[in-house]
Amino acid sequence: MGSRASTLLREEEIEEIKKETGFSHSQITRLYSRFTSLDKGENGTLSREDFQRIPELAINPLGDRIINAFFPEGEDQVNFRGFMRTLAHFRPIEDNEKNKDPIASEPLNSRSNKLLFAFRLYDLDRDDKISRDELLQVLRMMVGVNISDEQLGSIADRTIQEADQNGDNSISFNEFIKVGNVYILYIDIDIDI
Amino acid sequence: MGWFLLPFDNLLCIVLGISFTVGFSSLLVIVVPAVLGVSIGIRRLYMKSLLKVFEWATVRMERGAKEKNQHLYKPYSNGIIAKELSSLEQEIQELRASGTTLSSEPEFEMADIMYFCRRGVESIVDDEVTKRFSAQELESWNLLTRSNFNARHISLRLSVLWGLGLFIRYGFLLPLRVTLAASGIGLLVVLTTIVGFIPSGCENKPKNGGICVANHTTPIDVIILANDGCYSMVGQIHGGLIGVVQRAMVKSSPHIWFERSEVKDRHLVAERLSNHVADKTKHPILIFPEGTCINNTSVMMFKKGSFEIGCTVYPVAIKYDPRFGDAFWNSSKFGMVNYLLRMMSSWAIVCSVWYLPPMSREEGEDAVQFANRVKAAIATQGGLVDLLWDGGLKRGKVKNTFKEEQQKLYSKVLVGDQEDQGEDRPQEDEEEELEEGDQNEDRPLEDYTPRPLEDCSLRLQEEEEERGSETPMKDQ
């Protein structure tokens, strides 16, 4: 299991990832070990099948969408940098990051970026709008066969009604922020090394 | 110039002479007490000194790392994330409460995806299952390259020590053990690398007409248990060396070997097991209900087949001490020969065996519940994690029914009021439906308490067996 892990990841790379994602040195080496243990093909990248081999992820109703979020547009492999970049969204916001210089580039784990991540789980076609269909798709993934089409449809309609403010029958990113902002820190994962 | 060669010749003779003497005397020292069942105490001394050396090695590495101002890779045995185990429903309520929403009725919130999103990424960072199929990581280095993650920090002294260890293991221990093994196999008794063996609970040894179940880590489990009693084995007939051994064993006492095609027919398997058990003159059956080798940090799902027969079950817990050598056979990574080589060049294989009090199926308990009860007892005794996941996940994909269970739980959160309609149905109808393997999609949501993510497998195991089996085992 990742037997030569920490020797293959060079110090400079660790520093770069640290700057980009904000993870600590030990968290990065630990996650690199995890990355290599998932990488059954041992070619330095993960494919979708590598993720699906995790049983707890395979039974997650939104599993496929989450896996998708790791892969850049149209690509089938993700390397360690990409892996960490996506995981960075789930890093809790530390106190010293709260009042950062606004001119410096926004950290990956900012509130806004977290919300964008969640938004993109819905917005599959990346048109910056969650349409009724896209909402229904996600709802159907989460409930399976247990709720009828009509009932699901009315749930979707109600949700859009509550969130939609400009009347275009879809939810834009700003409208999403308004309904999601209070909850977003729920996704934070504390990687305890 | 003949005299020039003479000292060299002499030297060779001396070296050969010494090695033969050493080899032969160690053989004697090992074989004679083993045959007589007497312990000299060399093993304990060996183990103690090894542990001291390992600790020293780890301290040196830490010091080396500190000097270079780098970090030592530390294996994290407890998992990366501290996960709270609450049910899906509780978690969603908690999520919604975190937003201080005033709405209290079960309704959909766009933020609900955050629950699944977080659980999903948590499992990507660390999950309970995939790490069970590879060797356990050690806290301190035991001078074997295969378990070293900090190769950069080895100082000169440590390298010398490692080299010495290499010489001892490959130059002395390995040939010794290979000789033993070769002669052993010839006698059909394989004494390989077992140096430490600490049994307890000897009064609970399995008796005739019962079934002995144990957690499975390696084929050596069989040797260890056979050391202490006679068993009848159950398993698939293999080709090659194992097949030869299997066929030879049948000549001395009855074992139950299956052809590959028969394994799928559970009815036939159960019949042969019952017949064997009913005959009181035959030895107890030894079964590993996990079905595959697990890395000895956890016990995975017990297949219910052996628990349906209805005789006494004698649970045995086997725990290896990983500090001296890792006994786990990662069959997808190493073949048998490679594995044996690694075993024989380890420092030692040390294991603890506990014979637990016999258990029988209780009134109103079905095979699955009984299996889980036995599994829990074994896990507690061995200090292993008790998992409900199937060991078959080592090679196969997880069944879709688990995902459907998650979806069902979430639907219940959304449209909770459907539950009230369900309660009006008479109790007998629901039970009947379950037994017949209900295929009806519109089945009302039963009244059950939502369980944490892992517990799904218990319920679904039952349902899956009902729905999917070709030769269903009907309860009479």
Side-chain angles (χ1 to χ4, degrees):
Chain A
M1 188 194 147
S3 54
R4 310 273 186 264
S6 40
T7 54
L8 287 180
L9 196 61
R10 299 183 323 273
E11 277 303 310
E12 312 88 64
E13 269 192 81
I14 299 181
E15 284 303 312
E16 283 172 35
I17 296 177
K18 207 172 176 181
K19 258 191 223 120
E20 196 182 358
T21 61
F23 283 116
S24 74
H25 195 289
S26 37
Q27 285 172 328
I28 294 173
T29 37
R30 183 65 201 164
L31 288 169
Y32 186 69
S33 170
R34 173 68 174 165
F35 180 84
T36 43
S37 75
L38 291 174
D39 180 15
K40 290 285 186 276
E42 288 184 0
N43 53 358
T45 60
L46 293 179
S47 67
R48 285 191 171 78
E49 288 77 40
D50 289 322
F51 281 101
Q52 273 152 4
R53 224 174 274 121
I54 304 172
E56 289 168 38
L57 186 62
I59 71 170
N60 189 316
L62 290 183
D64 289 330
R65 285 287 167 102
I66 297 168
I67 294 174
N68 236 18
F70 278 84
F71 292 85
E73 278 294 323
E75 301 214 0
D76 285 329
Q77 302 283 332
V78 58
N79 60 12
F80 184 57
R81 292 293 287 268
F83 183 69
M84 291 303 281
R85 223 172 277 139
T86 315
L87 283 183
H89 290 102
F90 296 84
R91 193 171 67 83
I93 303 175
E94 280 146 35
D95 287 326
N96 60 4
E97 285 176 321
K98 284 208 178 122
N99 301 313
K100 254 197 160 148
D101 177 10
I103 302 175
S105 65
E106 202 173 355
L108 284 168
N109 69 334
S110 70
R111 250 192 133 97
S112 170
N113 275 327
K114 289 181 204 278
L115 282 159
L116 190 60
F117 186 88
F119 183 77
R120 293 225 166 111
L121 286 178
Y122 282 109
D123 182 23
L124 209 55
D125 59 6
R126 296 286 172 97
D127 63 353
D128 289 330
K129 276 202 301 261
I130 303 176
S131 65
R132 184 178 185 270
D133 273 334
E134 286 173 333
L135 183 59
L136 267 176
Q137 260 183 39
V138 175
L139 273 168
R140 186 50 81 190
M141 284 175 89
M142 290 199 280
V143 307
V145 298
N146 298 291
I147 298 184
S148 65
D149 280 333
E150 303 88 55
Q151 203 165 7
L152 212 60
S154 56
I155 291 178
D157 288 328
R158 227 174 302 153
T159 311
I160 295 185
Q161 216 174 36
E162 283 174 8
D164 189 17
Q165 288 174 342
N166 61 355
D168 63 352
N169 214 33
S170 63
I171 304 175
S172 70
F173 184 48
N174 286 323
E175 289 160 357
F176 181 75
I177 292 180
K178 293 216 172 61
V179 287
N181 194 30
V182 286
Y183 304 103
I184 193 62
L185 293 187
Y186 182 83
I187 67 170
D188 285 345
I189 297 174
D190 211 353
I191 299 181
D192 187 22
I193 301 286
Chain B
M1 288 305 193
W3 64 270
F4 202 65
L5 294 169
L6 217 57
F8 188 64
D9 225 0
N10 247 353
L11 192 63
L12 196 64
C13 282
I14 292 175
V15 167
L16 278 176
I18 291 181
S19 43
F20 268 125
T21 322
V22 169
F24 194 62
S25 46
S26 12
L27 257 171
L28 271 181
V29 166
I30 292 177
V31 173
V32 170
V35 167
L36 297 176
V38 163
S39 164
I40 303 185
I42 293 185
R43 285 184 276 188
R44 256 163 255 275
L45 188 65
Y46 179 57
M47 276 161 58
K48 272 211 201 102
S49 35
L50 273 181
L51 282 176
K52 283 226 174 69
V53 173
F54 298 160
E55 275 170 35
W56 180 83
T58 315
V59 166
R60 293 292 306 183
M61 288 209 301
E62 282 173 5
R63 221 183 288 168
K66 259 206 202 110
E67 279 165 19
K68 296 184 199 165
N69 211 15
Q70 285 168 359
H71 298 257
L72 204 69
Y73 173 76
K74 278 234 144 69
Y76 204 83
S77 44
N78 288 332
I80 301 180
I81 310 166
K83 286 194 217 179
E84 331 86 40
L85 282 177
S86 45
S87 71
L88 186 147
E89 188 173 309
Q90 284 173 334
E91 283 289 326
I92 300 262
Q93 307 295 14
E94 211 181 280
L95 162 60
R96 292 182 182 177
S98 75
T100 61
T101 178
L102 300 165
S103 157
S104 56
E105 16 171 303
E107 246 302 311
F108 173 67
E109 290 276 354
M110 292 210 72
D112 283 351
I113 56 159
M114 296 185 197
Y115 167 72
F116 291 108
C117 184
R118 188 176 96 172
R119 288 306 285 261
V121 179
E122 274 176 354
S123 66
I124 290 176
V125 173
D126 188 23
D127 79 297
E128 280 299 314
V129 184
T130 52
K131 61 188 176 190
R132 308 292 170 195
F133 303 130
S134 55
Q136 186 185 9
E137 296 179 356
L138 295 172
E139 293 286 326
S140 60
W141 188 38
N142 60 356
L143 293 180
L144 299 170
T145 322
R146 56 189 85 135
S147 45
N148 181 16
F149 309 112
N150 290 302
R152 296 177 299 177
H153 303 297
I154 301 180
S155 62
L156 181 64
R157 258 190 249 182
L158 216 51
S159 313
V160 169
L161 192 64
W162 174 77
L164 189 66
L166 197 72
F167 176 69
I168 293 180
R169 287 187 295 117
Y170 282 94
F172 172 61
L173 290 176
L174 179 58
L176 184 64
R177 289 162 178 168
V178 169
T179 322
L180 279 174
S183 49
I185 289 186
L187 298 170
L188 246 199
V189 174
V190 184
L191 304 172
T192 53
T193 58
I194 299 168
V195 175
F197 182 46
I198 315 153
S200 63
C202 288
E203 61 273 8
N204 289 324
K205 288 249 198 80
K207 305 194 177 56
N208 285 3
I211 293 186
C212 177
V213 304
N215 56 314
H216 200 27
T217 306
T218 154
I220 295 182
D221 289 340
V222 172
I223 300 171
I224 289 174
L225 289 179
N227 234 2
D228 218 34
C230 287
Y231 297 97
S232 296
M233 268 24 124
V234 182
Q236 249 178 265
I237 285 250
H238 286 96
L241 185 60
I242 308 181
V244 169
V245 175
Q246 283 179 330
R247 273 180 272 272
M249 284 164 78
V250 171
K251 294 186 193 151
S252 59
S253 72
H255 297 281
I256 305 176
W257 301 121
F258 290 99
E259 296 298 331
R260 218 166 270 270
S261 50
E262 284 173 18
V263 171
K264 293 230 160 95
D265 191 344
R266 284 163 41 186
H267 215 57
L268 187 67
V269 172
E271 205 182 294
R272 280 181 76 173
L273 287 175
S274 317
N275 289 343
H276 185 110
V277 159
D279 185 350
K280 293 292 177 198
T281 60
K282 294 197 175 145
H283 295 303
I285 300 180
L286 177 59
I287 291 185
F288 297 104
E290 282 165 315
T292 182
C293 293
I294 311 292
N295 79 344
N296 207 231
T297 57
S298 66
V299 184
M300 300 189 99
M301 183 178 94
F302 275 6
K303 308 231 186 299
K304 68 175 185 178
S306 29
F307 297 92
E308 281 172 334
I309 299 178
C311 58
T312 337
V313 168
Y314 298 88
V316 178
I318 306 178
K319 176 87 179 108
Y320 291 87
D321 189 336
R323 292 175 296 182
F324 298 95
D326 186 22
F328 168 55
W329 182 29
N330 193 343
S331 48
S332 33
K333 218 171 161 192
F334 308 115
M336 183 48 121
V337 178
N338 199 334
Y339 169 71
L340 282 177
L341 213 66
R342 289 166 72 92
M343 283 303 98
M344 295 199 198
S345 59
S346 310
W347 293 111
I349 304 289
V350 181
C351 75
S352 309
V353 178
W354 291 275
Y355 293 97
L356 301 171
M359 293 174 151
S360 317
R361 189 156 73 165
E362 283 168 7
E363 279 295 316
E365 197 181 37
D366 69 0
V368 175
Q369 290 165 327
F370 180 40
N372 286 329
R373 194 159 60 89
V374 174
K375 176 157 67 77
I378 292 181
T380 324
Q381 181 64 68
L384 306 163
V385 176
D386 186 1
L387 291 180
L388 289 166
W389 293 98
D390 185 356
L393 290 171
K394 192 186 204 179
R395 296 203 177 82
K397 288 210 158 133
V398 65
K399 298 190 184 107
N400 251 353
T401 40
F402 293 83
K403 190 194 272 202
E404 288 162 21
E405 172 86 357
Q406 287 293 298
Q407 291 168 330
K408 217 193 301 186
L409 287 173
Y410 180 65
S411 313
K412 193 182 176 234
V413 173
L414 284 199
V415 289
D417 37 76
Q418 257 194 24
E419 193 188 308
D420 297 327
Q421 294 172 17
E423 269 167 4
D424 289 339
R425 299 175 102 253
Q427 201 59 13
E428 310 91 62
D429 273 1
E430 275 192 45
E431 280 170 18
E432 254 179 58
E433 279 185 70
L434 277 174
E435 270 183 40
E436 285 166 32
D438 188 32
Q439 306 277 350
N440 190 1
E441 309 282 66
D442 296 333
R443 178 159 59 153
L445 303 165
E446 299 111 18
D447 186 19
Y448 58 85
T449 50
R451 266 170 280 183
L453 209 66
E454 286 98 64
D455 266 352
C456 303
S457 53
L458 169 57
R459 188 139 240 265
L460 283 146
Q461 195 183 332
E462 303 166 34
E463 293 177 20
E464 177 69 0
E465 307 290 359
E466 312 273 358
R467 267 189 243 166
S469 54
E470 296 104 42
T471 53
M473 308 278 296
K474 292 241 157 43
D475 285 88
Q476 274 81 30

